[in-house]
Every structure is written in structure tokens, then in C-alpha cells.
Amino acid sequence: EPLFEFLSTSGSSEDDENGIDIAALIASIGEAKTRRKVLDILRKEAAAIMRIAPMEIDADRPLSEMGFDSLMGMNLKLAIEERLGTVTQMNSIADGMTLAHLAALIVKSAGTADEISATENMAERHLTEIDLPEVLKRKISSDAST
């Protein structure tokens, strides 16, 4: 029906924040602005899960104090992975996790992951450029593909 045509069935808004590359964002606008952007996304997601307005979410208040339970925490984790393309380590929201702390962790892990992949690429290039026995080269390439 035309009346329901404009209603969104998803909990989050479908805008340009879907699938952002945090490492590229850090490179373009800096870590502090990226952290604020990630925090805004987290605030919107948490508000959608709690069914309240995003401005009612205090980013410095622990999620457990705002009424988040483990199911809501899992929903937030899945939303973060979908919208930001990053895997978060949210083991328990009972540990006093805040959205501000979570945003800082996400931005920090994006920078760390980028550094690790650069190191791995350099090591792989070094190992393939040196004169290794062919059997060892095949082992390295098969390990890298799995």
C-alpha cells in the first residue's frame, strides 16, 4: 500500500554511512573526526535498538546503565559489523562499556589492522623475493590463501 511505502523495516537509516572504510576515513579526515563519526553511527544504532531518539543516548554512560542487555549488545555488535565492516570484541556490556569507549576501540583497531596487513604484505614480499626452495614457496603461498 502507498501508505507503507516510505516506512523502513530496518532499525537503522540507509544513508552514506553504510559500509564505510574506517582506515580510509582516518587517512582522509584524521583520527579524532573519524572517532566522532563512528560515535554518531553507534549512537544512532543504539537508539534504534532501544527505540529512542539518538540525542537521548549519553555516549559516556555505560550501556548496562542505559538498559542494554546481552541481546541488545549482540544486536549492536551485528549492526557495527554490518555498517562499519569491522569485527568488534564486545564480550560483555556489563563491564562498563560506553559508546565513546567502543568508538575509540573501533577506530584504534582499524589503524592497527591496517598496520598489521602492511607488515604481512612486506614480509610476504620479502619471503617470495629471496631465493627459497620451491617447496617452501608453495607452502607459504598455500598458507596465505587459507
Side-chain angles (χ1 to χ4, degrees):
E1 295 293 320
L3 174 64
F4 300 108
E5 180 175 323
F6 299 105
L7 293 178
S8 173
T9 56
S10 68
S12 62
S13 62
E14 299 294 325
D15 53 18
D16 62 337
E17 294 171 348
N18 285 333
I20 63 172
D21 182 0
I22 297 175
L25 204 58
I26 291 170
S28 67
I29 64 173
E31 190 173 319
K33 287 183 180 180
T34 301
R35 192 171 38 251
R36 283 193 295 271
K37 184 166 180 69
V38 168
L39 181 57
D40 287 342
I41 293 169
L42 294 178
R43 184 177 279 129
K44 288 175 186 175
E45 290 297 333
I49 291 167
M50 296 183 71
R51 299 180 193 264
I52 60 175
M55 61 199 137
E56 292 182 39
I57 300 285
D58 181 3
D60 295 316
R61 187 172 172 202
L63 293 171
S64 58
E65 289 181 13
M66 289 190 286
F68 255 72
D69 59 16
S70 59
L71 182 59
M72 291 173 152
M74 184 55 69
N75 285 337
L76 182 60
K77 178 183 177 2
L78 294 173
I80 291 168
E81 290 174 0
E82 181 181 320
R83 299 216 39 215
L84 301 177
T86 182
V87 177
T88 58
Q89 300 298 324
M90 282 184 60
N91 296 334
S92 173
I93 59 169
D95 296 335
M97 177 70 73
T98 65
L99 290 179
H101 181 69
L102 185 57
L105 286 175
I106 290 170
V107 171
K108 182 179 177 184
S109 70
T112 305
D114 196 36
E115 291 170 10
I116 290 170
S117 65
T119 304
E120 287 175 352
N121 287 338
M122 191 175 1
E124 183 178 328
R125 231 185 12 226
H126 176 72
L127 288 174
T128 56
E129 289 174 358
I130 61 175
D131 194 21
L132 292 176
E134 196 60 39
V135 174
L136 199 56
K137 286 182 183 180
R138 282 193 299 262
K139 170 89 172 110
I140 291 169
S141 66
S142 69
D143 288 346
S145 65
T146 57

